[in-house]
Amino acid sequence: AFLDAAERTGQSVPLGNWVVRTACNNALRLGSHSNGRRTMSINVSASQLRDPGFVATLRDAMLDGECAPSTIIIEVTESVLLHDLQAVAASLEAIKALHVGIDLDDFGTGYSSLQYLRNLPIDRLKVDQGFVAGLGINGADTAIVASTIALAHALGLRSIAEGVETIEQLALLREMGCDFAQGDLLSKPTDMETFTTWLEAYVPAEISPQGDATAATHGHRGADAADRREKRADRRDLKADRRDLQSATRETKANT
């Protein structure tokens, strides 16, 4: 209801731009609070992608937030692709030129077209939670999830399962080779402060074929020598990403 009202009143673009700026600022905070690099995903609407100023807004938000392009991922749903595909494709190509990742969300719930996967600069395919909920229970859902993961890998994309709520689902997804998972099993929605505290203490679970979870053998993340080396490498990568973003910005200005 809120999003519909925002669309009707013409507020979806300014609201979306605020989300972009906030997300880029939080991406920098996540990098400073946690060991290893993190990515921040931003859901983008059709109206934002049609907005001629959106790419510049995203670029400026990353520069102002001092976050590397590789830490930002733009998420679009299949339904977004139905709104003026040519304009949306042009926006996605411009976004990709900033070295930002692009996810296709809710795959399989709309008017799925393999042309999207072949022609658009997509990096990851997200399996809808409606299918994930039936893993190991509904044969059709299990087959759809397995097929979607296999399709993503065959096209050189990575896969994400959303709505993961049980250890059994996570175990099956790992057996299927799914690259990423999100859902209440890992963490319920929370505020930024609570999340950064949770992230610092998070230890990945080891999942057995029977679906049993045990604590990771490497224990709690600590500030040992390996962590310090990783952080130094991350800082070097961040500087390189910033140089890439500045170069892309100069190229964009030159072309316009």
Side-chain angles (χ1 to χ4, degrees):
F2 174 80
L3 293 176
D4 288 342
E7 289 283 352
R8 290 196 306 272
T9 58
Q11 297 300 309
S12 60
V13 170
L15 282 171
N17 291 343
W18 175 84
V19 169
V20 168
R21 291 192 297 271
T22 303
C24 288
N25 287 331
N26 284 340
L28 180 64
R29 290 178 62 192
L30 284 178
S32 64
H33 276 78
S34 60
N35 297 322
R37 305 184 71 183
R38 305 293 167 187
T39 58
M40 173 69 72
S41 295
I42 308 172
N43 291 94
V44 174
S45 67
S47 55
Q48 284 176 278
L49 289 177
R50 291 196 301 267
D51 177 22
F54 176 72
V55 177
T57 296
L58 175 61
R59 181 191 63 217
D60 293 344
M62 289 190 294
L63 287 171
D64 293 343
E66 297 184 347
C67 63
S70 60
T71 64
I72 300 298
I73 297 172
I74 295 299
E75 286 194 12
V76 296
T77 62
E78 278 192 313
S79 59
V80 165
L81 304 180
L82 301 177
H83 301 270
D84 193 354
L85 180 58
Q86 186 174 1
V88 168
S91 291
L92 293 179
E93 291 288 354
I95 290 169
K96 195 64 182 174
L98 297 177
H99 306 288
V100 169
I102 299 176
D103 287 355
L104 182 59
D105 199 3
D106 299 338
F107 183 74
T109 62
Y111 297 96
S112 302
S113 172
L114 298 184
Q115 278 191 320
Y116 299 156
L117 305 183
R118 184 183 65 183
N119 298 329
L120 296 179
I122 296 167
D123 298 297
R124 303 192 301 184
L125 206 58
K126 298 191 71 173
V127 185
D128 185 75
Q129 59 185 345
F131 301 124
V132 174
L135 269 178
I137 302 171
N138 183 292
D141 286 343
T142 302
I144 289 172
V145 172
S147 298
T148 303
I149 294 170
L151 174 63
H153 291 167
L155 293 172
L157 309 177
R158 291 200 277 183
S159 56
I160 310 175
E162 54 184 357
V164 179
E165 297 183 350
T166 70
I167 289 292
E168 291 77 17
Q169 290 170 351
L170 185 59
L172 281 172
L173 288 166
R174 284 183 168 173
E175 287 181 11
M176 294 174 179
C178 192
D179 300 289
F180 300 95
Q182 66 182 68
D184 285 357
L185 177 65
L186 304 174
S187 174
K188 294 183 181 297
T190 185
D191 61 86
M192 185 67 177
E193 295 302 327
T194 303
F195 176 69
T196 52
T197 301
W198 173 90
L199 188 60
E200 288 290 348
Y202 176 65
V203 179
E206 292 182 347
I207 306 299
S208 72
Q210 292 75 32
D212 300 323
T214 59
T217 55
H218 60 265
H220 194 284
R221 290 191 180 96
D224 57 15
D227 288 332
R228 290 193 292 272
R229 287 194 297 271
E230 184 178 346
K231 286 182 178 180
R232 286 196 293 269
D234 288 338
R235 285 195 291 271
R236 289 194 297 270
D237 290 342
L238 179 59
K239 290 179 181 178
D241 284 333
R242 286 175 179 166
R243 288 196 296 269
D244 288 342
L245 177 58
Q246 291 168 352
S247 176
T249 300
R250 288 194 296 269
E251 292 177 5
T252 301
K253 289 181 179 179
N255 291 333
T256 55

